């Protein structure tokens, strides 16, 4: 890794207040994606994959016409427009578009107009090439627990919404990096994306292991009552802000339980629904979180204390250079939610599942 990110200590040692939670601690690895130019030999979000040249690139075979968002732009145009916005931003130091960028913009607009005037069928009727979402090497993210001799996880998704939860369909691949001799240099690209938030910006990672505790919704009824008991917090003398007196469980969930953003392992970030157990379709084992794809690395004023030390200035400032420092990947799923990927603890090779939260 070429940079480091460090999560500040939690404002309260939760096990000092609730020793009963110590047995529920789980390791997680915050991935801390930050814009960069990753290679196929590096862990990344939205970067190139170490994909064997002889292996077919994954395509989504589903029909996508029924989910027409009205947004029709190729991944290349999505990323180009982001660069143009950043260049125009007053803090970027740029002075508008370079002549070659103006030419690209004009060509892109012309191609888009031609396509919109074209007759069906749309390319979405055909198998759609999937987009790289994440590539994680075991050396960087040792919590992965891959099958056999695999030391690399590759995650892709279809850039279209899918029923029943209006989310992109995902695909996981485990492989041994040493077994890849010839790398696919130019993988196929989808003709368009259903939504710009499904086009990740290339990011390098700075994985950091932390300890997480379950969301209050994952606690036993007795423990949930204890966490919501303001007198218990007062008796511990930990100095929790009195603004949380009416709902101390909210303080626990926001500041102490599970980290926001992209992470491997850990506890699920419930909120959109109550805890929803997932079971393996092959062996019926209860599935465990593999990867959380976060729309934001931290969220709002309260969530900023999860911002790493190295990003504190950016977290408490306005957007810089046209970019949100809490959304370096430009990924957004659901209504600024998380997409959780689950795997079978018995065999990671069993079919995975996913869930919007």
């Amino acid at each position: 890794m070429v940079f480091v990110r460090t999560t500040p200590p939690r404002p309260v040692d939760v096990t000092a207040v609730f020793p009963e939670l110590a047995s529920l601690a789980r390791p997680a690895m915050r991935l801390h994606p930050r814009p960069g130019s990753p290679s196929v030999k590096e862990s990344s979000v939205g970067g190139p994959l170490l994909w064997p040249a002889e292996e077919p690139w994954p395509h989504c075979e589903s029909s996508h016409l029924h989910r027409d968002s009205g947004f029709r732009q190729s991944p290349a145009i999505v990323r180009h427009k982001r660069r143009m916005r950043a260049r125009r931003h007053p803090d970027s130091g740029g002075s508008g578009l370079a002549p070659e960028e103006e030419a690209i913009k004009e060509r892109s607009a012309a191609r888009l107009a031609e396509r919109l005037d074209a007759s069906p069928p749309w390319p979405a009727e055909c198998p759609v090439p999937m987009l790289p979402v994440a590539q994680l090497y075991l050396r960087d993210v040792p919590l992965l627990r891959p099958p056999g001799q695999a030391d690399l996880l590759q995650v892709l998704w279809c850039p279209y919404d899918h029923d029943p939860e209006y989310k992109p369909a995902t695909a996981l691949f485990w492989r041994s990096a040493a077994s890849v001799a010839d790398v696919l240099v130019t993988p196929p690209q989808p003709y368009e994306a259903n939504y710009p938030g499904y086009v990740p910006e290339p990011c390098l990672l700075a994985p950091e292991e932390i300890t997480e505790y379950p969301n209050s919704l994952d606690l036993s009824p007795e423990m949930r009552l204890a966490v919501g008991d303001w007198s218990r917090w007062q008796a511990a003398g930990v100095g929790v802000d009195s603004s949380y007196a009416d709902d101390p469980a909210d303080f626990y969930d926001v500041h102490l339980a599970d980290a926001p953003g992209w992470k491997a392992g850990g506890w699920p970030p419930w909120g959109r629904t109550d805890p929803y157990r997932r079971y393996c379709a092959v062996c019926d084992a209860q599935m465990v979180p593999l990867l959380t794809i976060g729309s934001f690395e931290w969220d709002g004023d309260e969530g900023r204390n999860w911002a790493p030390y190295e990003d504190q200035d950016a977290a408490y400032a306005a957007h810089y250079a046209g970019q949100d420092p809490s959304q370096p990947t430009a990924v957004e799923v659901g209504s600024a939610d998380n997409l959780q990927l689950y795997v079978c603890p018995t065999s990671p090779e069993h079919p995975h599942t996913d869930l919007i939260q």
Side-chain angles (χ1 to χ4, degrees), residues 263-276:
K263 66 183 180 181
W267 282 93
W270 301 114
R272 196 183 205 194
T273 70
D274 287 343
Y276 179 22

Side-chain angles (χ1 to χ4, degrees), residues 98-311:
E100 62 272 19
E101 290 179 314
E102 287 285 6
I104 292 174
K105 179 182 178 182
E106 291 176 4
R107 289 196 300 271
S108 298
R111 285 196 298 267
L112 181 60
E114 289 175 2
R115 192 180 65 73
L116 290 174
D117 290 337
S119 299
W122 292 100
E125 286 184 305
C126 308
V128 175
M130 303 186 92
L131 277 175
V133 175
Q135 174 167 271
L136 304 178
Y137 282 88
L138 184 62
R139 64 174 185 263
D140 300 321
V141 190
L143 293 183
L144 291 177
R145 299 181 182 176
Q149 299 300 309
D151 60 358
L152 179 60
L153 170 66
Q154 295 170 324
V155 181
L156 303 93
W157 66 21
C158 172
Y160 285 85
D161 280 323
H162 289 256
D163 288 330
E165 294 182 300
Y166 305 98
K167 59 180 175 17
T170 53
L172 305 185
F173 296 86
W174 300 95
R175 69 175 77 252
S176 168
S179 69
V180 181
D182 297 320
V183 179
L184 181 64
V185 177
T186 308
Q189 291 287 307
Y191 188 73
E192 61 188 20
N194 182 218
Y195 178 55
Y198 295 164
V199 182
E201 281 295 301
C203 287
L204 294 165
L205 308 181
E208 174 202 17
E209 185 166 349
I210 62 169
T211 299
E212 289 192 339
Y213 297 91
N215 183 283
S216 62
L217 295 174
D218 254 327
L219 298 174
S220 67
E222 297 77 17
M223 198 65 232
R224 200 178 306 163
L225 285 174
V227 168
D229 183 354
W230 178 238
S231 65
R232 181 81 178 262
W233 294 90
Q234 288 181 301
V238 291
V240 177
D241 191 309
S242 60
S243 64
Y244 286 98
D246 291 336
D247 190 5
D250 186 51
F251 174 81
Y252 168 80
D253 284 332
V254 171
H255 299 288
L256 308 179
D258 54 281
W262 290 67
K263 66 183 180 181
W267 282 93
W270 301 114
R272 196 183 205 194
T273 70
D274 287 343
Y276 179 22
R277 309 303 176 204
R278 317 289 279 175
Y279 295 92
C280 178
V282 175
C283 68
D284 206 35
Q286 183 172 322
M287 305 182 87
V288 297
L290 171 71
L291 178 68
T292 298
I293 296 171
S295 292
F296 291 91
E297 293 299 294
W298 58 86
D299 189 17
D301 292 337
E302 288 185 324
R304 282 182 179 141
N305 69 21
W306 285 103
Y309 281 126
E310 297 83 359
D311 292 320

Side-chain angles (χ1 to χ4, degrees), residues 15-39:
T15 58
V17 185
F18 304 101
E20 312 96 299
L21 290 177
S23 63
L24 299 178
R26 278 187 189 174
M29 293 201 78
R30 299 189 73 187
L31 300 182
H32 296 307
R34 295 298 181 269
S37 300
S39 73

Side-chain angles (χ1 to χ4, degrees), residues 61-99:
E61 303 286 341
S62 299
S63 172
H64 307 89
L65 288 177
H66 64 289
R67 192 62 62 215
D68 184 3
S69 69
F71 179 87
R72 293 172 178 150
Q73 292 181 357
S74 72
I77 292 177
V78 170
R79 293 183 176 121
H80 173 65
K81 287 189 171 183
R82 288 171 184 160
R83 289 194 297 272
M84 290 195 298
R85 284 196 300 270
R87 188 183 180 93
R88 290 194 188 106
H89 195 276
D91 294 340
S92 69
S95 56
L97 300 182

